[in-house]
Amino acid sequence: MAVRIVFFASLREQLACSSLDWEGRSPQETVASLREKLAREQFPESGAVLLADTVLAAVNQVMAQPEQAVADGDEVAFFPPVTGG
Amino acid sequence: MTELSPDELLRYSRHIVMPEITLAGQQTLMASSVLCVGAGGLGSPVCLYLAAAGIGRLGLVEFDTIDLSNIQRQVLYDTRDVGQPKLDTAHARLSQLNPHVQIDAHALRLAADNVMPLVKQYDVIVDGSDNFATRYLVNDAAVLSGKPLVHASVFRFEGQITVFDSPRGPCYRCLFPEPPPAELVPSCAEGGVLGMLPGIIGSMQALEVVKLILGLGEPLVGRLLLFDGLSAQWRELPAQRAPDCALCGQSPTIHEPTDLPAASWADGAPRISASELAGLLNAGEAPTVIDVREPQEYAIAAIPDSKLLPLMELSIHAASLDPGKPYILTCHRGGRSLKAFEQLRAAGFSNLQVLDGGIDAWAEQIDPEMRRY
């Protein structure tokens, strides 16, 4: 399955990446399993920041819970909290 | 409703001619009150536009003084104001802009014991603060007193804005139940921000305030709007209430605002002063100095022989360091080096010190020729 991944704010610097096209071997993914795989396989050195509870995820521009399924062609975006004023 | 003087009629004529506002709408604005928490990057456009719009009473919460590094984005102030308290300058500037607006200056740091009485005095609350402790306090007080909260934040080229108005929509805790670990979230001082970003997002906040007061259009309740200045794209995320929200959920456990505990990562880091470090360096006995700023900052000024390892990449490069060796950590003013301290300590480094006041203290105390920023 192919999933478009988008990162926002500080994640962009921490992962040195603002978006990527992710190719998964498994036909079944959830937001949680995708997050785990990205952290482990795509960003083995800096990926821990993705696993923080405070990083929100949205699938196709709708806020998503960890158990939500991710389908081929979806866009999954990750948002860390931002505090600058 | 108060009658408008001929001057006021003229001043607000571009509002009054709009069928959505009319004279009655302008009178509603003039009878309303707004509390703006923070008079910095976001607070500047918020206060300027709301004062210009003729909001009746505008409360400002701020305790900082104006620094030269503020002027690039905090358009309430100009170069002559550096060193002055923000609140005094803002009060004077806004009164000049529109003498019909009552400015309430609250020179205080928000805390659990002062936030509720303050929030209760206003119709709409605006969060233009720059730290999580204040953001949670303001959110909790707004929910507990039933006031709408126009929330926004900015980072580098990005900004986000929404309106929290529980129970109509979610509150901040529905989205982010707990404050994140401080080391994960860079501030404007650390991450940087392009000056126009708070200008764009703060202007949106002022617009949302006016919409809320006049009941116009579709407020950003339950909608998180994200702006990426580099791609010039807005994206909107629907945001729902969390049934288990500790503040506004079905069985709330938070019944009054509470102060966040002081950051634990700042505790217990051994400090070294600039003069102590200079002494060690002169004697050739100093441990390696690790500078955790960004390369573009390092290029402006750096301590001789220091090693650049930006905080964002520290976890990657920690492998090139020896956990058994002593290191001195530094950054611009001391914030990031504490975060680096916590990261390295967690990774097993046992002999770390943090340079008190960072490179800025070094420039002040040791090397007056060094460029400051």
Side-chain angles (χ1 to χ4, degrees), chain B residues 108-119 137 141 256-259:
Chain B
L108 48 87
R109 192 184 280 269
L110 276 191
D113 59 3
N114 62 23
V115 66
M116 285 298 282
L118 198 59
V119 161
L137 271 178
E256 57 185 23
T258 33
D259 291 314

Side-chain angles (χ1 to χ4, degrees), chain A residues 4 6-16 18 44-65 75-85, chain B residues 40-43 73 128-132 135 151-156 158 160 172 175-176 178-181 183-188 198 224 226 228 230 235-240 312 315-316:
Chain A
R4 178 87 181 147
V6 185
F7 301 114
F8 282 86
S10 54
L11 288 178
R12 291 184 171 182
E13 278 72 33
Q14 285 159 339
L15 302 173
S18 56
E45 282 167 333
S46 52
V49 289
L50 264 181
L51 301 175
D53 290 340
T54 49
V55 172
L56 301 181
V59 176
N60 299 329
Q61 309 218 4
V62 179
M63 240 33 122
Q65 296 301 311
E75 180 208 74
V76 182
F78 293 97
F79 309 88
V82 173
T83 192
Chain B
L42 291 168
R73 66 192 183 285
S129 68
D130 62 356
N131 64 86
F132 285 109
R135 290 187 182 280
H151 169 101
S153 58
V154 289
F155 178 73
R156 296 196 167 176
E158 293 171 67
Q160 47 184 264
Y172 191 45
L175 301 185
F176 297 104
E178 292 294 331
E183 64 270 23
L184 286 184
V185 186
S187 67
C188 280
L224 179 64
L226 300 141
D228 177 359
L230 285 181
R235 80 174 39 212
E236 179 178 327
L237 286 177
Q240 267 107 37
M312 300 275 198
S315 55
I316 303 171

Side-chain angles (χ1 to χ4, degrees), chain B residues 307-331:
Chain B
K307 187 176 165 74
L308 176 67
L309 285 182
L311 180 64
M312 300 275 198
E313 301 158 17
L314 191 61
S315 55
I316 303 171
H317 296 296
S320 67
L321 305 172
D322 178 352
K325 276 193 175 167
Y327 293 103
I328 292 173
L329 304 171
T330 187
C331 60

